[in-house]
Amino acid sequence: MTSSHGRGLLHLAAALDQEGAYDAGSYVERARLAERGGLDFVTLGDTFARPGPDALAVLSRIAPATARIGLVPTVTTTHTEPFHVQAAVATLDWVSRGRAGWQIDVSTTEGEARLFGRRHAAPVDELWHEAGEVAEVADQLWDSWEDGAEIRDVATGRFIDRDKLHHVDFTGTTFSVKGPSIVPRPPQGHPVRVIDATEGHARRTAARHADVALVRVASAAQAAAVREQLRRTASEFGRNPDSLRVLASLLVDLGDGEHAAEPGHGGGGPRQSAQGPRYRGGPVDLAELIATWHTNRVVDGFHLTPTEPRRDLERLVNGTVALLQHRGLFRTFYPGSTLREHLGLAKPANRYAVTGATSWTGATS
Amino acid sequence: MTVRRPSRRRIHLAAHFPGVNNTTVWADPRSKSQIDFSSFEYLARTAERGLFDFFFLAEGLRLREHKGRIHDLDVVGRPESLTVLNALAGVTEHLGLAATVNATFNEPYELARRLATLDHLSGGRAAWNVVTSSDAFTGENFRRGGFLDRADRYTRAAEFVQVTRKLWDSWTADGIPRPFAHRGRHFDIAGEFTVPRSPQGHPVVIQAGDSDEGREFAAATADVVFTRHGSLEAGRAFYADVKRRLEKYGRGPDDLKIMPGVTFVLGDTAAQAQEKAYRIRRQQVSPQNAILALEQIWGVDLSSYDPDGPLPEIDPVAEPGISQGRTRRGDSVVIAEKWRALSKEKGLSIRQTVIEASGRQSFVGTAEAVAAELDEFVQRDAADGFILQPLITPGGLDEFVDKVVPLLQERGAFRTEYQGATLRSHLGLPDPVRKG
């Protein structure tokens, strides 16, 4: 998808993570703020290792309180059941009417393994391989109901056309799933899969399975290099690289007024910190940074994590985003209603659906 | 039971979202989507308008199959319960939100966390209906496969609930997580729980199951029992038995609420209600569904039989494996004998026999008659309340809320406003005692 400037649309996302928040109110308030700014989606991280609520639950709670913004919870694949995970993500897509995403992650520590007592911690590359298999079986289960399977044919007494439901018979290295899903195909076909592709192990899985790859990088050159690599690897997996969006992930600290307080810091770009690449400065300089990276086709957009959740999201939406909108670089309203539409990604075709008028076997039987 | 009560006992009411199985009359033109969130929202708002205690969702983990093919005659498919309930928490204020979640194909740490999160996000309205499975057919969708012996179902479930409560108790009142450890027959886990103590302390635990183990498990651990005993006499016997079992666990009779799942059909006159009930049963038991019901008992292909003709002369096969993903009810040879006798006695066809023999509506009559009957069940210790199973999605509760609820209120048998904020307070359940 390209605009008249020869580059893709700018995509913006924000993290809703806030330490110690378990009530619905603060999440709803910030999701609505992000939606007022027209952001593509909000994310909420999750891990079994640190205090925090179940992210998919929080974003389901937010769904009826919002109308357009995409909702992307982290759901890990290491100690969870692939069948339950795909059903929950598909259901988030149903309750949000096509706005669900899923940030795929793995649980690497022995501490997390002890919470379940089923297996020991495994090497990271094995876990990401498994995560890829979980993403794959999820795709197959989301396709296991063809659109239009529900027919409610009173004359024959049939509620569904069972020829449009399919066993997936998936066998992976650590699990197998018979299928079909219990949940009919979600509105987006496949909810949007997001993977943090910063680390090498995750990058291949992202190139193969993600719709959106997040990269935590402090420089434009680095971002461009990772994006190129992701696009190349995606091609090797037989994908159209334009079906993958690459967003730069930055921590943002907008506590310093309109412009950067530290000379050479704000407009000069993010810096590496213990928590990851961090931008510190004012909303205006951040808008400048976003516009420059995007215009130079370094990335397709940004995923921003406020350092101070309320303050920074408010400044991001009312400052940075407003400025980008004013300059015609970012949407001022949502032209579509699903997350795929915001991202300019097509609804995937169902692998089981017969294309064309008559199948060959159908013609001969 | 020798419990003295100051005045008329209050009825507890819950609404079951019409799911799979042929209780749902999907062929009715008023029947809408079983999947769209708008259906869940409508029914939940109706239940809240009727001041119901809670909204109840069943669970499915594998689509039913018959003769090796996916069952296609009744409603098939449903969204995942906890996710739907979290969304419903955003469009309701008081209504309890109950999810059926299997203790066989889940792990305590993850499920305890999801339930505690729902309790936080809903301000104390979460409930968990604990079910178990020994079904290898369902297990084919999960990492463990069909691993669990039938005998282990309740031991795993009991340990699962015990661990879950340990996790819910693991944060101090002032919000400090404390390490937990559990080593038992089914679970050996340790660490720190990620969610602080939730508004109810422990989400409400519901249990379904009428077997002896099921009753004992309920008496030991549940806050609510979901039963099938729809008749007054069967209900009274079940009620007395389960309440009697509570004492040995140090619990009082009001600590466990008994709520049968029931259906209702309302009419302007008794005759009209009966006529409507018959029409609904004809819709539920279509000719195809009649043959299917027969095949489930006989265990063989009966598709060549005429639904309007007589029952098969052949005997059922001993171990019918023709249907999968459905609960079997009793010995097929005995059931076949009973059905033949019924058919012979009344001169009924296959379809008429199935209609006559299979589940009928529990409460049929005018709004006044149904209100009086529900009240009688509660006043005479056959139930503490009811889980209503409406037949139409999502409008099947409208008539009940508009007509029956006001009559129950007039009788002093049902609340006229929500008194508390949490599901525990609606149900009059004691606060959980924190252990450890």
Side-chain angles (χ1 to χ4, degrees):
Chain A
M1 193 164 180
T2 52
S3 75
S4 56
H5 304 286
R7 62 172 185 275
L9 292 172
L10 172 62
H11 301 288
L12 293 176
L16 291 184
D17 303 70
Q18 182 176 7
E19 214 174 299
Y22 293 89
D23 67 307
S26 77
Y27 292 104
V28 168
E29 192 188 315
R30 285 177 293 133
R32 283 181 168 160
L33 176 60
E35 186 170 72
R36 276 207 299 281
L39 269 56
D40 292 65
F41 60 90
V42 289
T43 61
L44 185 59
D46 202 352
T47 160
F48 293 122
R50 287 192 305 277
D54 180 82
L56 188 132
V58 172
L59 296 193
S60 310
R61 172 64 181 76
I62 285 173
T66 53
R68 286 289 180 268
I69 195 155
L71 305 167
V72 184
T74 296
V75 184
T76 64
T77 60
T78 307
H79 301 294
T80 48
E81 289 284 354
F83 190 85
H84 287 323
V85 170
Q86 64 82 28
V89 173
T91 301
L92 177 60
D93 207 42
W94 279 106
V95 302
S96 65
R97 300 181 168 96
R99 297 185 281 133
W102 167 23
Q103 180 159 353
I104 301 169
D105 204 355
V106 299
S107 306
T108 59
T109 65
E110 188 59 25
E112 287 160 283
R114 285 291 290 129
L115 300 170
F116 288 80
R118 285 174 72 166
R119 60 202 278 203
H120 288 290
V124 179
D125 55 343
E126 281 176 31
L127 296 178
W128 274 107
H129 177 75
E130 183 188 45
E133 290 181 340
V134 176
E136 175 58 31
V137 80
D139 276 8
Q140 292 185 21
L141 287 163
W142 293 333
D143 282 347
S144 68
W145 288 62
E146 292 180 35
D147 293 325
E150 186 181 311
I151 51 171
R152 295 184 183 240
D153 185 37
V154 177
T156 60
R158 293 178 307 147
F159 182 80
I160 49 149
D161 176 357
R162 61 181 162 204
D163 292 337
K164 291 187 171 174
L165 265 56
H166 307 274
H167 290 124
V168 301
D169 285 317
F170 183 93
T171 303
T173 41
T174 60
F175 64 91
S176 60
V177 175
K178 182 74 182 175
S181 179
I182 197 79
V183 187
R185 194 167 200 247
Q188 293 185 101
H190 300 175
V192 171
R193 288 141 312 172
V194 179
I195 294 178
D196 185 322
T198 308
E199 307 293 337
H201 301 296
R203 202 171 292 169
R204 276 184 71 77
T205 308
R208 187 166 185 177
H209 295 287
D211 302 294
V212 177
L214 307 180
V215 291
R216 288 173 280 126
V217 289
S219 79
Q222 216 183 340
V226 176
R227 180 170 181 269
E228 262 325 292
Q229 195 204 346
L230 279 163
R231 288 171 61 89
R232 200 169 52 243
T233 315
S235 297
E236 286 162 16
F237 282 119
R239 294 182 63 189
N240 175 355
D242 290 336
S243 68
L244 176 64
R245 303 278 171 266
V246 180
L247 309 190
S249 260
L250 297 179
L251 284 163
V252 293
D253 175 354
L254 300 179
D256 282 348
E258 289 299 299
H259 294 276
E262 297 172 50
H265 192 165
R271 286 186 185 177
Q272 209 51 257
S273 79
Q275 293 80 36
R278 186 160 174 266
Y279 170 87
R280 185 169 171 221
V284 177
D285 287 328
L286 180 60
E288 187 58 40
L289 172 89
I290 289 172
T292 308
W293 284 29
H294 184 251
T295 309
N296 295 337
R297 307 194 64 173
V298 172
V299 289
D300 301 303
F302 288 81
H303 170 250
L304 304 166
T305 301
T307 308
E308 179 65 50
R310 277 163 204 277
R311 180 199 69 194
D312 291 337
L313 185 65
E314 199 271 329
R315 290 186 183 178
L316 178 70
V317 168
N318 295 331
T320 307
V321 171
L323 209 66
L324 290 165
Q325 288 169 330
H326 182 70
R327 292 173 58 183
L329 297 172
F330 190 63
R331 69 167 77 86
T332 52
F333 66 98
Y334 292 98
S337 60
T338 71
L339 176 53
R340 280 191 172 273
E341 286 166 350
H342 305 339
L343 289 164
L345 296 170
K347 180 175 176 179
N350 191 317
R351 76 194 61 207
Y352 297 103
V354 178
T355 50
T358 317
S359 71
W360 206 79
T361 47
T364 55
S365 62
Chain B
M1 267 187 44
T2 54
V3 185
R4 284 179 46 239
R5 293 194 174 83
S7 60
R8 194 162 206 86
R9 291 178 60 205
R10 289 288 180 94
I11 297 177
H12 297 285
L13 290 176
H16 185 176
F17 186 84
V20 304
N21 294 326
N22 66 356
T23 41
T24 307
V25 187
W26 62 260
D28 189 294
R30 293 166 299 168
S31 169
K32 301 282 190 300
S33 173
Q34 241 81 17
I35 305 294
D36 284 341
F37 183 63
S38 54
S39 291
F40 292 91
E41 183 174 357
Y42 184 91
L43 194 61
R45 284 184 191 269
T46 308
E48 186 161 86
R49 180 162 66 83
L51 307 173
F52 278 39
D53 294 59
F54 61 93
F55 181 82
F56 182 92
L57 291 177
E59 180 188 50
L61 298 177
R62 176 128 188 222
L63 300 184
R64 293 165 289 156
E65 292 185 7
H66 186 70
K67 294 195 279 198
R69 305 185 69 191
I70 290 162
H71 175 72
D72 62 356
L73 296 180
D74 304 321
V75 170
V76 176
R78 57 177 121 211
E80 190 269 321
S81 297
L82 278 167
T83 304
V84 171
L85 294 179
N86 277 298
L88 287 176
V91 296
T92 53
E93 273 179 63
H94 298 280
L95 190 66
L97 303 164
T100 301
V101 188
N102 208 287
T104 306
F105 299 112
N106 284 283
E107 298 303 317
Y109 188 84
E110 185 187 8
L111 185 56
R113 192 170 177 270
R114 296 186 75 196
L115 289 162
T117 299
L118 175 62
D119 209 41
H120 278 287
L121 295 174
S122 65
R125 300 187 276 137
W128 171 30
N129 178 34
V130 186
V131 292
T132 62
S133 173
S134 61
D135 188 352
F137 173 75
T138 306
E140 284 184 327
N141 279 334
F142 299 98
R143 288 182 188 268
R144 285 195 194 265
F147 75 102
L148 203 63
D149 280 353
R150 199 164 189 91
D152 282 340
R153 280 170 70 173
Y154 283 109
T155 62
R156 179 177 161 103
E159 196 179 323
F160 197 121
V161 175
Q162 187 198 344
V163 178
T164 300
R165 288 191 167 134
K166 204 185 267 189
L167 293 167
W168 289 336
D169 281 347
S170 72
W171 286 55
T172 65
D174 41 357
I176 311 294
R178 291 172 307 177
F180 73 88
H182 172 91
R183 176 174 287 192
R185 176 149 173 239
H186 296 278
F187 307 105
D188 177 6
I189 64 173
E192 248 176 40
F193 194 50
T194 66
V195 185
R197 197 168 171 82
S198 69
Q200 292 188 106
H202 298 176
V204 168
V205 172
I206 305 172
Q207 205 264 320
D210 285 343
S211 68
D212 191 60
E213 297 112 298
R215 291 177 188 208
E216 205 60 33
F217 177 45
T221 72
D223 298 306
V224 175
V225 180
F226 177 20
T227 129
R228 292 183 188 281
H229 294 284
S231 79
L232 185 66
E233 283 320 306
R236 281 172 58 85
F238 179 82
Y239 192 96
D241 178 60
V242 173
K243 297 258 169 166
R244 183 175 45 75
R245 295 175 193 239
L246 288 166
E247 198 180 335
K248 78 174 110 153
Y249 300 103
R251 308 178 70 195
D254 285 334
D255 295 350
L256 176 66
K257 306 299 178 201
I258 294 176
M259 300 179 71
V262 300
T263 58
F264 59 91
V265 176
L266 303 175
D268 292 338
T269 65
Q272 195 207 37
Q274 288 297 342
E275 192 273 327
K276 195 168 147 191
Y278 180 72
R279 207 165 4 115
I280 289 167
R281 281 160 66 198
R282 295 269 302 170
Q283 280 181 294
Q284 290 167 329
V285 185
S286 63
Q288 298 89 346
N289 258 321
I291 295 296
L292 174 100
L294 217 60
E295 287 179 336
Q296 284 172 345
I297 289 161
W298 261 259
V300 291
D301 186 334
L302 300 172
S303 52
S304 60
Y305 282 73
D306 177 4
D308 296 321
L311 263 65
E313 297 290 339
I314 54 168
D315 284 328
V317 301
E319 273 299 314
I322 197 164
S323 272
Q324 294 192 282
R326 238 182 229 276
T327 316
R328 280 185 57 199
R329 304 197 201 293
D331 185 317
S332 56
V333 179
V334 175
I335 297 170
E337 282 301 314
K338 219 190 288 178
W339 283 23
R340 278 204 193 109
L342 180 72
S343 164
K344 202 168 175 188
E345 183 199 329
K346 297 193 175 176
L348 303 177
S349 70
I350 288 175
R351 188 178 180 196
Q352 287 165 331
T353 305
V354 175
I355 289 173
E356 189 72 18
S358 61
R360 59 187 63 200
Q361 289 81 11
S362 321
F363 295 92
V364 179
T366 61
E368 289 76 12
V370 168
E373 215 183 335
L374 292 171
D375 190 20
E376 190 194 4
F377 264 62
V378 172
Q379 304 314 325
R380 293 190 57 200
D381 290 341
D384 293 309
F386 304 90
I387 298 179
L388 301 177
Q389 308 184 317
L391 305 172
I392 302 288
T393 308
L397 207 58
D398 296 13
E399 218 183 353
F400 188 93
V401 165
D402 293 336
K403 293 179 178 167
V404 181
V405 166
L407 295 170
L408 292 173
Q409 289 168 331
E410 272 173 35
R411 300 173 82 93
F414 192 62
R415 68 172 65 90
T416 53
E417 61 185 346
Y418 286 109
Q419 275 90 31
T422 68
L423 175 54
R424 275 187 186 277
S425 69
H426 305 337
L427 288 167
L429 291 167
D431 286 334
V433 180
R434 184 195 286 264
K435 294 198 179 105

